[in-house]
Amino acid sequence: MNKSEVFERVFELALQAASLNEIPIGAVVVKDGEIISAAHNETEMRKSFVAHAEMIAIEKASKKIGSKYLNDCELFVSLEPCAMCLHAAKLSRITTIHYLLKSEKFGAEGRAYFKTNSHNFEEKSLGIKQQELLAHFFKAKRS
């Protein structure tokens, strides 16, 4: 799969999360050009702050390959990972993190957390759709 196809899947997962009244974030782990795990946020469903899409995708990938180390794997996410997810990816030895949209507040480099330069920013046309999806989701929550 190429990056555009992977990001299409990530965005589909974000839409699925939104349809379940979850914050619309999707994540996949890719190894050797193939998706080995996919997830969306499940914090409301699981009643857990750690049920982020990235955390679930990392856990599924580890189970699939039978190791806590995800060497030579890449993480694709619809929104810049928070500090918790960034560190989980680092600890699992994911090599690269790609995301559609920067999170100014809760992203690992956002103002709610410390600064780091350890991830890769991918600007894609789906980033605009992801931004619109998040804006619509939170607007609906507030009304």
Side-chain angles (χ1 to χ4, degrees):
M1 297 186 98
N2 65 41
K3 284 184 181 181
S4 294
E5 292 170 322
V6 175
F7 273 125
E8 287 283 344
R9 179 66 180 127
V10 166
F11 188 68
E12 289 171 7
L13 290 160
L15 289 171
Q16 188 177 358
S19 74
L20 298 169
N21 203 31
E22 297 281 354
I23 294 175
I25 298 173
V28 300
V29 175
V30 173
K31 184 172 178 69
D32 300 324
E34 296 298 322
I35 293 174
I36 62 169
S37 70
H40 57 71
N41 269 10
E42 295 182 8
T43 58
E44 297 299 325
M45 182 176 68
R46 294 186 186 195
K47 308 280 188 263
S48 171
F49 282 107
V50 297
H52 290 196
E54 303 94 324
M55 301 294 282
I56 298 167
I58 289 168
E59 184 177 25
K60 286 180 175 181
S62 292
K63 286 180 181 175
K64 180 161 185 158
I65 66 172
S67 174
K68 65 182 180 179
Y69 298 117
L70 300 176
N71 295 315
D72 303 317
C73 290
E74 297 175 274
L75 177 65
F76 288 76
V77 191
S78 58
L79 185 66
E80 179 186 12
C82 70
M84 173 183 69
C85 294
L86 174 69
H87 287 291
K90 282 182 175 183
L91 290 170
S92 70
R93 299 185 182 164
I94 285 175
T95 57
T96 311
I97 300 172
H98 308 274
Y99 52 90
L100 288 171
L101 186 64
K102 189 167 187 64
S103 175
E104 297 298 328
K105 185 172 182 182
F106 290 109
E109 287 192 5
R111 60 187 180 272
Y113 299 109
F114 58 89
K115 302 292 184 198
T116 180
N117 292 318
S118 59
H119 63 273
N120 183 37
F121 177 65
E122 284 284 337
E123 183 62 56
K124 297 284 184 184
S125 60
L126 284 177
I128 295 168
K129 290 182 181 178
Q130 176 65 27
Q131 188 173 22
E132 291 170 353
L133 178 62
L134 285 165
H136 177 75
F137 177 82
F138 285 112
K139 183 177 181 181
K141 281 286 214 192
R142 291 180 189 110
S143 55

